[in-house]
Amino acid sequence: KVSGKDQYSIVWRPDLDWPDHVVPEGGARAKVTAWASDNTPKYMVVDITASAINNPDKVRYYPEAEFLPGGLLQNPAYKTTSLVMRRIPAAGVEWTMGSVEEPGRDSERETAHKVTLSDDYYIGVFPVTQGQWMRLAGYNYSVFKRSGDQNHFRPVDSVSYNEIRLVCGKDVIGNHVYADDSANLYPAAPHADSFLGKLRTLTGIAFDLPSEAQWEFAARGGNRSRGYKYSGSDNLNEVGWYS
């Protein structure tokens, strides 16, 4: 993100990006694209390490998944030390929320109704992993664990709304201690010592849980042929999946 100047210089060192590759003279071209502040690229990668708070490069944008360093599914950093967010172009799109009349769906569970979201938003490509939760919260009470480092890549489980938004610490034996304070309920800002509070402090970004409508709109993959042209795909492989 840049501002305050009329001219910029861009320097690229391919030998640093690709130590094992050789780029011959004249063998590379760069394409520079300016993005409006209200129309940022598809992918946002946020550094959540301790150094991120003083790191001007803690937030990086990429126009397509193929440009993410190391590959979206192959780079372990995206499930441990970084958050990968996918932009959902939802502003002003009218869509049908709830169950529709088609085989395999329960239309009685929620009456179908028209919804229009006011803004675009980013949502995590992966569920928050145990490694990411441990890095920010400092503990991991997940039930679905396995030995070794593979725990870090598994989705965090057994956490409550209170821990995400209201918790203000844990005692010395690891039991949960909650803030009994409704002031930190949505839409107010989360408690500073909650998972979301720590994430906001570290990154400077107003992260929050998605609303029901935001989650459903982003998760409606597999219906692209029905006119849903946002994040979902007919292969159900873009948002909210663990690999």
Side-chain angles (χ1 to χ4, degrees):
K1 293 181 286 187
V2 293
S3 62
K5 292 176 61 177
D6 295 325
Q7 296 182 348
Y8 299 89
S9 297
I10 297 175
V11 178
W12 178 41
R13 288 287 304 274
D15 56 322
L16 298 181
D17 284 343
W18 298 325
D20 298 328
H21 291 68
V22 175
V23 179
E25 184 176 355
R29 292 184 299 169
K31 179 181 178 180
V32 181
T33 303
W35 297 81
S37 60
D38 61 349
N39 185 31
T40 45
K42 287 183 181 179
Y43 290 90
M44 176 174 69
V45 179
V46 184
D47 181 4
I48 59 170
T49 63
S51 62
I53 196 167
N54 297 315
N55 182 2
D57 294 325
K58 64 187 174 187
V59 180
R60 293 174 179 264
Y61 293 95
Y62 301 91
E64 299 291 344
E66 63 192 78
F67 298 123
L68 269 68
L72 176 60
L73 299 181
Q74 292 76 30
N75 191 340
Y78 300 148
K79 304 182 188 77
T80 52
T81 59
S82 297
L83 295 173
V84 182
M85 313 295 292
R86 174 66 157 84
R87 186 169 180 264
I88 310 299
V93 178
E94 184 182 78
W95 57 288
T96 301
M97 184 177 176
S99 296
V100 295
E101 294 284 354
E102 65 183 28
R105 296 187 180 271
D106 182 7
S107 59
E108 295 182 358
R109 185 173 182 180
E110 182 180 326
T111 303
H113 56 286
K114 295 294 184 181
V115 173
T116 302
L117 294 169
S118 57
D119 299 294
D120 294 351
Y121 56 96
Y122 282 90
I123 196 166
V125 171
F126 306 109
V128 174
T129 65
Q130 295 180 32
Q132 292 165 337
W133 180 273
M134 181 69 182
R135 181 172 293 278
L136 287 165
Y139 64 94
N140 179 20
Y141 295 144
S142 296
V143 173
F144 295 97
K145 295 181 180 179
R146 61 189 298 182
S147 59
D149 292 339
Q150 290 301 309
N151 269 344
H152 299 318
F153 305 128
R154 292 193 160 200
V156 68
D157 64 81
S158 306
V159 296
S160 66
Y161 179 91
N162 284 352
E163 288 179 84
I164 296 170
R165 176 173 277 274
L166 304 180
V167 70
C168 58
K170 62 184 190 306
D171 65 22
V172 292
I173 60 173
N175 292 325
H176 304 237
V177 179
Y178 299 112
D180 184 18
D181 185 358
S182 60
N184 299 118
L185 295 173
Y186 183 85
H191 192 283
D193 288 335
S194 69
F195 176 83
L196 278 173
K198 291 179 178 179
L199 182 60
R200 288 185 175 202
T201 298
L202 182 67
T203 64
I205 300 172
F207 282 110
D208 216 319
L209 295 169
S211 69
E212 186 175 357
Q214 287 174 328
W215 167 250
E216 185 169 330
F217 186 74
R220 279 181 176 264
N223 275 328
R224 235 177 176 174
S225 58
R226 297 177 62 88
Y228 296 106
K229 299 177 181 179
Y230 36 89
S231 65
S233 74
D234 288 333
N235 295 322
L236 296 172
N237 63 0
E238 291 213 14
V239 166
W241 294 95
Y242 165 74
S243 177

